Amino acid sequence: MAGQEDPVQREIHQDWANREYIEVITSSIKKITDFLNSFDMSCRSRLATLNEKLTALERRIEYIEARVTKGETLT
């Protein structure tokens, strides 16, 4: 009977080791996912701000071009 317990003990220990390994991998994947989601939101926010600034510059350029075309002074 003692001979049968030894392989069972080994299987139990191996099962726990596998579960711990899976937990470490799962935790790491969650951390990476959280980082990527945060990075995505940060990039989207910065790109939106940059887009607003570019749009304002484009409008200003169009306004200046229109005034130059009409021969108006810029001051």
Side-chain angles (χ1 to χ4, degrees), residues 6-59:
D6 201 44
V8 171
Q9 282 295 103
R10 274 189 239 134
E11 284 186 37
I12 291 171
H13 287 296
Q14 186 62 43
D15 183 57
W16 276 108
N18 288 341
R19 289 172 188 258
E20 288 173 355
Y21 179 72
I22 289 169
E23 181 62 31
V24 167
I25 297 297
T26 302
S27 175
S28 296
I29 290 171
K30 286 179 182 177
K31 287 179 184 177
I32 291 169
T33 302
D34 289 343
F35 166 77
L36 289 174
N37 285 332
S38 174
F39 182 75
D40 174 60
M41 292 300 291
S42 174
C43 288
R44 287 178 189 263
S45 174
R46 291 177 184 204
L47 286 172
T49 301
L50 183 60
N51 188 47
E52 289 173 7
K53 290 178 180 179
L54 286 172
T55 300
L57 285 172
E58 288 170 347
R59 287 182 183 156

